[in-house]
Amino acid sequence: MRARIEHGPSVDGDRASQVALLRVDAGLRAAVPAEELAVAERVVVAPCRTLRPGTWTPEELDVEADAFAALLVDGLVTRETTIAGRRTADLLGPGDVVHPWRAFDAPLPSTSRWASDSAAVLAVLDGRFMAAARRWPQLFEVVHERLADQLERAAGRAAIMALPRVEQRVLGLFWQLADRWGKVRPEGVVVELGLTHALIGQLIGAQRPTVSLALQALAGDGALRRDAHGPWLLAHDSRHALPTLRPVGPVHTAAILLDGRTAQTG
């Protein structure tokens, strides 16, 4: 997914633009009892912002003070984070929960940029959603489950980035993407995402030239290929290229030091 830089405002939608969340999100809809859906559809609404292709800033979302998160309703969004000149990226899709305007003090100097390749829609969760969740508490349960899923995917990608060979990292990434965006076909698993080599590198902690070489090798082996600018095709047996080794030894843990002392566990 290539972020195209555009000049001028990149977020459409004024404060009057709203979206009925239960009509666009099946998970939230399932959180409300069937007999109360008619009422809930009118009550569970949120301000929405349409993101045009290119980069955008959190300030452009122009949210109220009681906004606590945003739900990606449609499209794909990339968040790029740069530390010490090295860039990494997160790929966000429909159903993901973000808080792009949150300010925090990073322990290291860093910058974040947000971009989308095509139009994307964000629903702003604010005080109105909080009030609705007090009436239907499972709405918040859905949000918490989404955040837990995102943390689980992030942990999986961190493990993928630790794989020794870039070919393995690329395969691990695409199998993770296939779990969410893949379609199983007789010839393999189709992943209908437009991903540049540079973005793949940011997602797995590798440089673009190395990613290009890895993709050539995988295509030569028939494990992963792409025709022109079409979708990616993962061979069904390509996951066998990833080692399935059981963890050996103890789990290494950390301890909080109290008065400069802590128990030594080896």
Side-chain angles (χ1 to χ4, degrees), residues 1-195:
M1 185 172 71
R2 188 186 304 276
R4 295 186 294 271
I5 305 300
E6 293 190 350
H7 299 287
S10 54
V11 178
D12 295 329
D14 54 32
R15 294 186 179 224
S17 301
Q18 293 187 341
V19 58
L21 291 175
L22 302 193
R23 296 178 182 175
V24 298
D25 191 299
L28 292 176
R29 184 179 181 86
V32 175
E35 62 274 12
E36 298 184 59
L37 276 176
V39 174
E41 283 186 351
R42 297 193 298 269
V43 173
V44 188
V45 297
C48 69
R49 302 289 185 267
T50 299
L51 312 172
R52 290 191 288 164
T55 58
W56 50 274
T57 65
E59 291 75 21
E60 292 179 78
L61 297 176
D62 190 27
V63 300
E64 299 283 0
D66 61 349
F68 66 90
L71 174 70
L72 185 54
V73 173
D74 189 31
L76 297 174
V77 168
T78 299
R79 180 188 182 185
E80 177 194 273
T81 302
T82 303
I83 296 179
R86 295 298 296 270
R87 295 185 290 180
T88 184
D90 291 317
L91 185 60
L92 305 165
D96 283 340
V97 179
V98 296
H99 192 166
W101 56 88
R102 179 177 179 232
F104 62 95
D105 295 326
L108 295 173
S110 64
T111 58
S112 290
R113 298 193 300 174
W114 300 79
S116 54
D117 186 63
S118 57
V121 179
L122 280 176
V124 179
L125 305 183
D126 55 15
R128 284 168 288 186
F129 185 86
M130 296 274 285
R134 284 193 286 270
R135 180 169 180 178
W136 298 290
Q138 285 190 315
L139 291 173
F140 251 142
E141 183 177 331
V142 172
V143 173
H144 292 158
E145 287 178 352
R146 300 276 175 84
L147 291 170
D149 288 343
Q150 289 170 226
L151 285 173
E152 189 68 21
R153 289 196 298 269
R157 192 155 64 87
I160 290 170
M161 294 173 73
L163 292 172
R165 296 176 55 205
V166 174
E167 291 89 346
Q168 293 176 332
R169 295 186 214 171
V170 171
L171 274 182
L173 171 68
F174 271 89
W175 275 108
Q176 187 183 57
L177 296 175
D179 184 57
R180 188 174 186 186
W181 286 294
K183 296 179 180 179
V184 179
R185 302 278 173 78
E187 65 274 20
V189 181
V190 176
V191 181
E192 296 179 337
L193 291 175
L195 302 171

